[in-house]
Amino acid sequence: MERKAEEGAWYATLSLARGHCTDEGDEHRPAVLEYSRLDALAVARSGYLGEYARSHANSKDLRKQKEVADHLAAPASARAAGVTVIVDVTERQLGKAEFRARRAAGVEQLMRHGRFATQRDAELEWMMREAEVETGFSRDDPNQSRRRAVRKRYRALCNRDRK
């Protein structure tokens, strides 16, 4: 049953990434297409679109992420056809929304496996683990400069969280 639920969630994510018509319009107003860039990035990270799309979705360059996110829905061709396109996240908000979505998924996984009293504790732990992964050092590394690098990256993630 759990496998079927996961499969259903995957197809829902894929359909949101491709977009759906929310208003067919008439002769006085155009049709409306809505799609989710965050779901498109999740689809690209899964490997569904290939290794090239996965590397672009995991890139820190927001232009590459936007390019991959817009690939499935093809908003340029929809706009050319006179369809109004609505996106869940604008280009300016993509970095922060993507960070929060990744963090929410990681926190959900941490909470599922227990040991955390509050959601905020799990968020802080996720950011510390992310800092360890990004720097390549452990939080309790014997080398003090490496520990400082992990703490610096952790503080940067915490500051990004507040903005």
Side-chain angles (χ1 to χ4, degrees):
M1 190 61 133
E2 184 179 335
R3 191 174 63 84
K4 291 219 180 248
E6 287 177 5
E7 185 178 338
W10 165 253
Y11 285 120
T13 301
L14 188 58
S15 70
L16 287 172
R18 285 190 175 141
H20 52 280
C21 182
T22 55
D23 184 10
E24 292 182 8
D26 57 17
E27 62 270 356
H28 300 292
R29 66 185 201 291
V32 177
L33 171 77
E34 291 186 28
Y35 73 100
S36 172
R37 281 186 175 148
L38 294 177
D39 287 334
L41 285 173
V43 167
R45 283 192 184 105
S46 72
Y48 181 77
L49 299 175
E51 191 58 39
Y52 180 77
R54 178 187 287 182
S55 67
H56 272 59
N58 289 326
S59 171
K60 292 193 182 224
D61 187 5
L62 291 179
R63 284 179 287 155
K64 289 181 179 180
Q65 288 182 357
K66 180 187 167 290
E67 178 184 308
V68 168
D70 291 345
H71 173 73
L72 282 173
S77 60
R79 284 188 187 104
V83 175
T84 303
V85 177
I86 298 175
V87 183
D88 65 339
V89 198
T90 63
E91 292 176 32
R92 289 185 49 212
Q93 300 168 333
L94 183 61
K96 179 175 276 195
E98 192 266 335
F99 168 75
R100 287 188 174 159
R102 274 188 22 240
R103 185 185 66 190
V107 166
E108 179 183 332
Q109 187 175 18
L110 286 173
M111 292 293 283
R112 195 176 323 146
H113 296 300
R115 291 196 3 222
F116 295 101
T118 64
Q119 177 133 356
R120 184 62 184 165
D121 290 342
E123 287 175 357
L124 294 173
E125 177 63 24
W126 180 85
M127 287 189 277
M128 179 55 84
R129 289 180 183 185
E130 190 71 14
E132 287 177 335
V133 167
E134 288 180 10
T135 60
F137 307 129
S138 173
R139 66 181 93 178
D140 52 352
D141 195 298
N143 187 337
Q144 198 168 25
S145 63
R146 290 178 180 171
R147 275 197 315 254
R148 268 191 243 123
V150 172
R151 293 293 298 173
K152 183 177 179 180
R153 184 63 196 142
Y154 171 71
R155 285 192 304 272
L157 289 171
C158 289
N159 288 337
R160 185 176 185 181
D161 181 36
R162 289 189 196 121
K163 291 180 185 180

